[in-house]
Amino acid sequence: MPNLKPADLKPVDLPPLDAALPDKDMRAKRPPGMSFLLRWSTLRRGARVVSLLALDLGAIILAIFTALCLKAAARDAWEPSVSWAQAKDYVPFAFLVASLLFARSGLYAERAQRPGLTRIVASLFQTTLVALIFAVVNGEEFSSYYIFYGTLFFAVAYVSTARFAYEQLTGLMLRAAGYKRRAILVGSGEQIEAVAHALLASGGHSPVQVIGFISLTPRPDNGLRSLGALADIGAIVADHKADEVIIADPAFPQQQAVDLVDTCHQQGVVVRIAPSTMEILIHRAEFVPGQSVPLFELKPPVFDGIDFALKRSFDVAVASVLLLVLSPLLLAMALAVRLTSRGPIFYRSWRPGIGGVPFPCLKFRTMYHDADRRQAELEGRNEATGALFKMRDDPRVTRVGRMLRRFSLDELPQLINVLRGQMSLVGPRPLPQRDFDRLENWHKKRYLVLPGITGLWQVSGRSDLDFDDLVRLDFLYLERWSVFLDLTILVKTVPAVFTRRGAF
């Protein structure tokens, strides 16, 4: 080793310790040095949680008080002060359990991540169950258990209504302020087109604004703007002030995905993934032990055992109640159909059901008696994609039929199909034989369960969605099924019908 003198040593410019970090890496920020923006964001989160807690508290108090008042009124002993005093005894425990379960379910999360009615119903049901067990263990005696299921009913009504009003009001304020989540789509041509179409199908009500795309393969703009190459994602996100990046390609290269996520997270940009059919199905997979390679078995999307018993019991109970309650309306519609055009009151549309076995799907007749014979001459005017046939101004529809179709009232006789065991209240919609014959093989997997009167189609865009998107929604429903999900879809069907979104 040569002998070095001090004069031979030259100062070396050492890089700072944080040189490896990007200049604007949001992850490098520390709480003591939070900027005003971060403090404002924290304040907004706190205000959101406090306001939602206050709404939930008020709704739970009102639910318990209403249940107690109805019970007292039924016994001709109603005194508001007494009911209020009893409610104050129950509220602290009920609200504590409910708020903890709500927090666990993400019901106080950010607007884009907050779940809907399904989680609300499930959390309130769990709260009722915990309260009931606690009361029984502590030796509480009740002449009936009305206070539990009565409060649950009103709590679902009040909490969901209060939160719906909150979402609408805050959404209106955000839209008035011009708030949009600016999103960039990344993927290949076909997938970008499909995801963009689904986001735009909401008719302008979606908080996501697609500002452009980055495609791995060349594709025409087709109404969307190309923002550049994937290698420039960091600069593109910064220049366009994007809030999130959506990966719209199930076959996106893994290494590029890792780099993409890291680059976006450096700038505080959210990365989301539009799921493929395989990603939806994989949630049903069960691990198969004892193999040299980890294997997962994909279970068929069917209802059996306790799931089938629960779903069938729910269907029969709700269908019976609906037929009884709606009987005057059904009678009026039957008379209107009978008196305004020739032909039977009901139209029996033979459609493939579970396992592809045909059954007569009942509907109020909305077309003239020769409608089936005129189908072929109208094929060229089909406005739907894939296997479906849809026309906004079908000349075969009668005047009364047009009104019934406008609000989907012609489907109500299918409640009889539910009682017969041919249909379910919620499930994949049965298609006419003409449409069924044009399905691809993977589409027909939806026929492994009973078809439904309504489903995720009806509450997610209906005729505004592509057929492949509708089939993927069916798969998603089958994977996530619960009684609470069925109840949520039934509730959401009502506004979807009255707003006539995608209906024709």
Side-chain angles (χ1 to χ4, degrees):
M1 182 175 182
N3 294 323
L4 298 177
K5 299 179 181 180
D8 298 327
L9 299 177
K10 298 180 180 180
V12 178
D13 294 329
L14 296 175
L17 293 177
D18 61 349
L21 294 174
D23 292 337
K24 296 182 179 180
D25 193 337
M26 297 293 292
R27 298 169 297 180
K29 292 184 178 295
R30 294 293 182 265
M34 285 192 301
S35 65
F36 172 78
L37 180 61
L38 288 178
R39 291 196 298 270
W40 175 246
S41 178
T42 302
L43 181 62
R44 283 195 302 109
R45 288 197 295 268
R48 179 189 69 241
V49 172
V50 170
S51 59
L52 287 173
L53 281 169
L55 279 177
D56 294 339
L57 175 60
I60 289 174
I61 291 174
L62 188 59
I64 295 175
F65 180 67
T66 303
L68 290 171
C69 287
L70 285 179
K71 182 178 181 180
R75 296 181 176 181
D76 296 326
W78 181 45
E79 292 186 13
S81 58
V82 175
S83 298
W84 177 249
Q86 292 176 331
K88 289 194 296 184
D89 292 336
Y90 294 132
V91 165
F93 179 78
F95 177 66
L96 175 63
V97 176
S99 59
L100 291 174
L101 289 172
F102 276 23
R104 180 177 176 272
S105 297
L107 288 166
Y108 299 115
E110 295 181 5
R111 183 183 187 87
Q113 302 171 354
R114 211 157 44 235
L117 184 60
T118 303
R119 293 286 181 86
I120 294 175
V121 175
S123 297
L124 289 174
F125 179 81
Q126 292 168 3
T127 300
T128 304
L129 189 60
V130 170
L132 176 60
I133 294 174
F134 180 81
V136 171
V137 169
N138 280 275
E140 299 284 346
E141 295 183 0
F142 300 92
S143 57
S144 71
Y145 291 97
Y146 162 79
I147 184 59
F148 295 100
Y149 62 79
T151 300
L152 173 61
F153 174 81
F154 289 112
V156 169
Y158 294 154
V159 172
S160 59
T161 301
R163 280 181 167 258
F164 176 78
Y166 176 86
E167 297 290 347
Q168 295 298 310
L169 179 60
T170 55
L172 182 64
M173 294 170 62
L174 289 172
R175 286 193 294 273
Y179 170 78
K180 286 282 187 179
R181 297 204 312 271
R182 295 169 59 82
I184 296 174
L185 300 181
V186 179
S188 59
E190 183 180 351
Q191 285 77 16
I192 288 175
E193 201 78 40
V195 173
H197 175 79
L199 290 173
L200 295 174
S202 61
H205 297 291
S206 173
V208 178
Q209 178 186 10
V210 178
I211 58 178
F213 69 89
I214 298 174
S215 180
L216 300 178
T217 57
R219 69 177 295 277
D221 287 358
N222 289 343
L224 294 175
R225 184 159 58 105
S226 176
L227 303 179
L230 183 62
D232 302 321
I233 182 66
I236 292 173
V237 166
D239 292 344
H240 292 86
K241 299 180 180 180
D243 299 303
E244 61 187 67
V245 170
I246 301 175
I247 299 178
D249 190 346
F252 199 87
Q254 294 185 14
Q255 184 57 49
Q256 289 175 291
V258 172
D259 294 339
L260 168 67
V261 171
D262 187 65
T263 302
C264 291
H265 285 176
Q266 288 174 13
Q267 302 190 40
V269 175
V270 175
V271 180
R272 303 184 191 276
I273 300 176
S276 65
T277 302
M278 179 58 70
E279 289 166 337
I280 293 174
L281 290 177
I282 200 67
H283 288 286
R284 297 189 71 90
E286 291 187 6
F287 177 64
V288 181
Q291 308 293 328
S292 57
V293 176
L295 298 177
F296 292 84
E297 179 182 352
L298 291 177
K299 297 292 185 179
V302 297
F303 295 119
D304 54 13
I306 187 64
D307 285 349
F308 178 80
L310 283 173
K311 187 170 178 61
R312 183 63 186 148
S313 300
F314 178 82
D315 286 343
V316 171
V318 176
S320 300
V321 172
L322 287 177
L323 278 173
L324 181 63
V325 172
L326 298 176
S327 55
L329 176 63
L330 294 172
L331 180 59
M333 289 188 291
L335 288 174
V337 172
R338 181 63 175 172
L339 297 176
T340 56
S341 62
R342 294 170 51 194
I345 295 175
F346 295 110
Y347 174 69
R348 289 171 172 80
S349 175
W350 284 89
R351 304 187 175 194
I354 185 170
V357 178
F359 74 98
C361 183
L362 297 178
K363 302 176 67 174
F364 282 122
R365 182 176 54 82
T366 59
M367 292 186 174
Y368 295 105
H369 64 280
D370 61 344
D372 289 337
R373 293 195 299 271
R374 299 173 59 187
Q375 171 86 30
E377 64 186 64
L378 297 173
E379 287 289 347
R381 298 167 60 183
N382 185 15
E383 299 177 28
T385 60
L388 297 180
F389 180 87
K390 293 283 186 179
M391 285 183 62
R392 294 184 185 275
D393 297 312
D394 196 323
R396 300 172 298 168
V397 180
T398 65
R399 186 171 55 184
V400 170
R402 198 170 302 279
M403 182 189 68
L404 294 179
R405 285 188 167 202
R406 187 175 301 164
F407 299 104
S408 300
L409 296 175
D410 58 318
E411 310 283 354
L412 289 179
Q414 290 164 27
L415 292 170
I416 300 173
N417 290 119
V418 174
L419 294 182
R420 290 177 176 176
Q422 298 164 331
M423 294 182 68
S424 177
L425 288 172
V426 182
R429 283 293 295 162
L431 298 177
Q433 189 67 46
R434 173 261 181 205
D435 299 349
F436 179 83
D437 293 337
R438 302 186 181 196
L439 297 179
E440 299 177 21
N441 287 333
W442 74 279
H443 292 158
K444 295 182 180 180
K445 301 298 182 185
R446 60 196 295 277
Y447 285 90
L448 293 174
V449 297
L450 284 173
I453 297 178
T454 186
L456 283 181
W457 287 27
Q458 279 62 36
V459 299
S460 303
R462 305 170 82 183
S463 300
D464 290 333
L465 300 180
D466 287 337
F467 185 73
D468 284 355
D469 294 330
L470 302 180
V471 175
R472 291 188 180 96
L473 286 176
D474 288 337
F475 286 149
L476 182 62
Y477 165 75
L478 296 175
E479 189 277 319
R480 302 284 175 86
W481 175 83
S482 69
V483 172
F484 303 115
L485 179 58
D486 276 5
L487 181 60
T488 301
I489 292 174
L490 288 173
V491 171
K492 287 188 174 182
T493 298
V494 177
V497 166
F498 280 101
T499 57
R500 295 177 286 171
R501 180 184 168 197
F504 59 89

